[in-house]
Amino acid sequence: MRGLVGRWPLVGRGPELDSFAAASADRECRGFVVGGSAGVGKSRLAEECLDRAAAAGCRVGRATASAAAGAVPLGAIAHLLPTGVDLSDPVAGFAAVVRGLTTGRPGPRRWVLLVDDMHLLDPASAVLLRQLMDTGMILLIGTVRSGEPYGKAVAALRGGDAVRRVDLTVLTPEQVEALLQAVLGGPVARRTLHELSAASGGNVLYLRELVLGALTAGDLTEDGEIWHLREGRLPGTARLTELIGTRLSTADSAGRPVLELLALCDPLPLADAEALAPPQVVAGLEQAGLIRVAQDRRRIVVSLAHPLYGEVLRAGLPVLRRRALLLDQAARFEARGARRRGDLLHIATWRLAATGTADPALLTQAAILARHVHDYPRTIALIEALPEEHRTTATRLMLGDAFFEMGRWDRAEATLAQADALAIGEQDKLAVALARTTNLLWSNAPLTEALAVNDAALDRITSPAGHRKLKINEGFMRIVGGWPAQGLALLQDLETEVGDASDVNAWLRGAWMTPFGLALVGRTVEAAAWAERAHAAHRQVDEHALASHPAVQRIPLVLALSEAGRPAEALREGERAYAELVAADSVVRVWMAVFLGRTEWLAGHPVTARRWWAEAAALARSIDHAMALRLVLGGLAACAAVLGDLDAAETTLAEHRTLPPSAPGLLSAGEERLGEAWLLAARGHLGQARSVLTAAARAARTTGHLTGEALLLTDVARLGGAKDAADRLTELAQRCDGAFAPARAQLATALTTDDPDQLLQVTDACQGIGANLLAAEAATAAAAAWRRTHHPRRASAAARRAAVALARCEGARTPLLTTAQTTAALTAREREIALLAAVGNASKDIARALTLSVRTVDNHLHHAYTKLGVTTRRELAQTLGTPAHGVERDHPHPPT
């Protein structure tokens, strides 16, 4: 915390620093002025420029102007002037200042002087500084706040061709992310970034105070992998409140009612603002930077210039004043006839906030509007305000759905159970059954329980159309529950277009899960086409459907594209959709994070995969979603293992072991064992790692997860089991379309034959599909094979190709990468035993693990030591580039 209170790093100001470098190198340049609104980082940039000037050998000085110092001639810069200078005679005084500044300071470099808040300088200081600039004595760095008045003398400091000016804007969300990661020392969850970026408006000063306030309150924490905010908590600091209060106090008192109303009802039609204050007062608020005026279709609207202004204004509003403002504004909208679609939502919200109640019909209409724009908190607030006698099956269904979308499974189930009890017509019963089964699957209930609810609905429904919808729902559940082939069989007659469907909600459900099932069984081309079609249809009917945000339809697209060998497209589409889901605060985004992490893992980017899986893990924990959590903990451990962070991998697996036993899920349960296998591999236990992966692949085959099985068998091949995996991978390549499945099979076959030409062909294939780590491993194996057959030039060329691919792999270290070159002369058994010994295993432990005698182990080690030219296990570990754990003592090589 102490380090965060000091000066923060400078982020996103590269072009401005380049401009200053050019200015300081230009002997004709006299000034460098940094403009911008309060808090955007003008002083921080100016300080960095001054530091760079000092590092370049310039003499530097600093002054800060203020309103108090501005009342005294030369008050801001008096401390910089030579002692005893009399400025009553301007000509003689100026000459004395020049002599005083140059005396005893030889050298060609000029003074570089920083004046912060230059617009507050007194005229005498400004005139003297301009004279010093004109003679080339100083290079002035000045900061000026946008929109502030200043006199002619100050205007002269910032004008003319010899003065360069840069105007700072607020930070973009990407720059906010870079700054927070630098300050906090680790990745930050996207939802947290969204909240901090939105609340601060990209203003660095406000961002700093928000972060410090959240850290102090314990609301911004790190879970060992990623920083995240507690839901709904973003406290500031007393200093932040004071800063904003001071800023708001500059407003004309006649404009205060406009600001207060905006704090409660932002944005407002311009006509409503001008009903509270004269047009010239409203214009003054805009000129002062306190409000913004923009065109919204045919209506001109007014909003506060910064979101935090509303926080401070609301905190200072008395209850009765707040009530009067809200009711008056609701009355204005009603008087105009509430013509716009969102007007009823605004009116209901304002009346509810003012009085705690509103007309039941208005509340219901407003809740429908809120639900269809995916504003789930407001949907809940509006429906819960309904008197009990006005609650219907439809409102309870809508309420249960909103609870589900926010990850509040227990409240959702209780509400949906009430809706089920009230349901009379077939349509109501169907709608409740669909919602309940989805909620049960997400809330960690077994598939059998959700299927039982669906079966019970089948007994109550008599129409063929109703039975068909429940069949679609069962197909949905079977795929979510880990049986993709069974689910696809139930969904095979789903209409290809939403316009042909009898029920939009049932169709969207089936259309969301169909591409998942197709991708999982290797039909990636069909899966991508279905996902695109479902997304377009969902956008088209979103306002009339009771379904999640349309962006959820991009989740199966990410899976399909990644398994088709198109990871760049998958990541581009997925990240765009994830931003939409974050803005909507939909917990379904957890699965987008799962698949984005998986895509990065397949691409060979363990750092980025770890960041996505950490985000998914944090969200899954917060909503108690074990299906996703089990998968991402396994992925997190795998990433940590290949990055050499074995302690983190073990800690993650320890949490994984505390979760309830897994059942088949959307992805094969086998994939969650990746962490276990790769940690074993990192510790040199390649045989055990292969056994884990082989069992996991067998589980994936049982449930029909063909692409998951291929992923797991590929890792078996990479860890020394290519001969065992090649045939099945070849079979899977014939059953799965896209470019990834053939590349996996080719890799296993080439590793089996140890053919360097084939391995380089595999390198090309893997690079073509963006599988960088597989490409690096294939090229490394080719280099080793060339070296064994005494072709050094070809080996060097292959090694260079491996290095190029590996440079994209974010520091990944796998056994194939770290040992193929150094152990080129070793047999497979010698290599396996050498790896186990290198990470600290004693000979008797190796013998036990491999079912060998200790003497046999020692003989293999002796041969390995001789071939590698080492004499101790420490040297062996250094040669193999493996992390040493456990036994650390030096052991001379064993006797034969």
Side-chain angles (χ1 to χ4, degrees), residues 38-384:
V40 296
K42 302 183 298 297
S43 298
R44 179 66 185 85
L45 175 62
E47 290 169 356
E48 185 70 23
C49 293
L50 192 69
D51 289 346
R52 295 192 176 197
C58 296
R59 299 190 298 272
V60 298
R62 176 169 183 170
T64 300
S66 66
V72 180
L74 303 175
I77 63 171
H79 64 289
L80 299 172
L81 301 178
T83 305
V85 170
D86 181 7
L87 291 173
S88 59
D89 180 348
V91 176
F94 175 73
V97 169
V98 172
R99 285 194 303 274
L101 292 176
T102 56
T103 300
R105 297 179 175 89
R109 295 190 180 277
R110 53 185 166 173
W111 275 85
V112 179
L113 176 63
L114 165 59
V115 178
D116 210 4
D117 289 334
M118 193 171 70
H119 53 281
L120 297 176
L121 276 175
D122 62 280
S125 295
V127 169
L128 178 57
L129 289 173
R130 184 72 223 194
Q131 290 175 325
L132 293 171
M133 291 166 63
D134 289 341
T135 61
M137 277 290 301
I138 66 169
L139 173 66
L140 179 68
I141 302 172
T143 67
V144 179
R145 183 179 297 175
S146 301
E148 294 291 332
Y150 48 85
K152 292 181 179 180
V154 173
L157 291 177
R158 50 188 292 187
D161 295 337
V163 177
R164 301 194 184 199
R165 172 161 181 151
V166 296
D167 289 291
L168 297 188
T169 57
V170 295
L171 297 181
T172 65
E174 294 75 21
Q175 290 168 337
V176 168
E177 179 177 11
L179 178 57
L180 290 179
Q181 185 154 334
V183 168
L184 297 171
V188 182
R190 294 297 176 95
R191 178 65 187 173
T192 296
L193 287 170
H194 176 79
E195 291 188 31
L196 286 170
S197 185
S200 68
N203 183 296
V204 181
L205 178 59
Y206 296 166
L207 177 66
R208 173 191 170 92
E209 294 303 315
L210 287 169
V211 169
L212 292 176
L215 286 168
T216 301
D219 292 319
L220 178 60
T221 57
E222 195 226 11
D223 61 13
E225 292 284 351
I226 198 166
W227 288 87
H228 47 87
L229 274 171
R230 189 186 307 172
E231 192 72 25
R233 294 285 299 163
L234 191 55
T237 63
R239 180 171 181 248
L240 179 60
T241 301
E242 181 182 340
L243 286 167
I244 295 174
T246 300
R247 181 88 176 96
L248 293 170
S249 67
T250 63
D252 186 327
S253 60
R256 187 76 180 186
V258 175
L259 296 177
E260 291 175 343
L261 184 59
L262 282 170
L264 299 172
C265 306
D266 194 348
L268 291 174
L270 178 60
D272 290 353
E274 291 180 343
L276 298 179
Q280 62 271 24
V281 172
V282 176
L285 294 174
E286 182 186 21
Q287 181 66 30
L290 296 175
I291 65 171
R292 293 194 184 99
V293 181
Q295 188 80 34
D296 179 20
R297 290 183 287 178
R298 290 182 294 176
R299 187 183 285 181
I300 299 176
V301 296
V302 181
S303 59
L304 289 171
H306 196 281
L308 289 177
Y309 294 171
E311 295 283 342
V312 173
L313 286 162
R314 284 191 293 274
L317 274 176
V319 173
L320 293 181
R321 172 65 175 160
R322 179 191 299 250
R323 185 178 190 275
L325 286 168
L326 288 167
L327 291 176
D328 287 348
Q329 186 59 20
R332 289 188 193 95
F333 268 50
E334 288 167 338
R336 285 196 291 267
R339 297 186 300 272
R340 288 200 170 191
R341 192 168 191 272
D343 286 354
L344 288 176
L345 179 56
H346 292 313
I347 293 168
T349 302
W350 296 334
R351 289 200 173 278
L352 187 60
T355 66
T357 187
D359 177 70
L362 175 62
L363 288 172
T364 301
Q365 287 179 286
I368 293 170
L369 291 171
R371 173 59 188 81
H372 287 312
V373 296
H374 306 285
D375 188 344
Y376 307 117
R378 197 183 306 195
T379 302
I380 292 170
L382 290 164
I383 296 178
E384 289 191 326

Side-chain angles (χ1 to χ4, degrees), residues 783-858:
W786 284 126
R787 190 167 288 106
R788 279 193 296 273
T789 55
H790 309 293
H791 291 85
R793 290 186 179 179
R794 292 183 177 181
S796 296
R800 287 193 295 272
R801 292 196 59 183
V804 170
L806 189 58
R808 305 187 187 101
C809 297
E810 303 179 340
R813 292 157 51 181
T814 68
L816 197 52
L817 288 174
T818 57
T819 65
Q821 294 283 15
T822 54
T823 64
L826 303 184
T827 66
R829 179 63 85 183
E830 288 168 353
R831 186 180 300 119
E832 183 171 30
I833 291 174
L835 281 170
L836 289 168
V839 295
N841 291 291
S843 293
K844 63 179 181 179
D845 296 325
I846 298 173
R848 186 182 307 111
L850 301 181
T851 320
L852 299 172
S853 70
V854 174
R855 182 173 181 80
T856 300
V857 169
D858 285 343

Side-chain angles (χ1 to χ4, degrees), residues 10 59 71 380 407 619 659 680 766:
L10 191 65
R59 299 190 298 272
I380 292 170
L619 179 55
L659 296 176
L680 285 167
C766 290

Side-chain angles (χ1 to χ4, degrees), residues 711-752:
L711 182 157
L712 295 160
L713 287 176
T714 303
D715 286 0
V716 171
R718 295 164 66 194
L719 296 178
K723 183 177 179 180
D724 298 325
D727 289 345
R728 176 58 180 168
L729 281 170
T730 299
E731 182 182 339
L732 289 170
Q734 295 169 351
R735 297 179 61 183
C736 300
D737 60 20
F740 212 141
R744 286 165 165 156
Q746 291 162 18
L747 174 62
T749 300
L751 288 172
T752 299

Side-chain angles (χ1 to χ4, degrees), residues 352 356-358 360 363-364 366-367 376-392 395-396 398-400 402-403 406 408 411-412 414-415 418:
L352 187 60
T357 187
L363 288 172
T364 301
Y376 307 117
R378 197 183 306 195
T379 302
I380 292 170
L382 290 164
I383 296 178
E384 289 191 326
L386 275 172
E388 186 65 30
E389 62 270 20
H390 289 277
R391 297 191 186 188
T392 64
T395 60
R396 283 185 167 85
M398 192 162 36
L399 180 61
F403 280 134
M406 296 189 69
R408 296 161 68 178
R411 292 292 305 276
T415 303
Q418 292 174 347

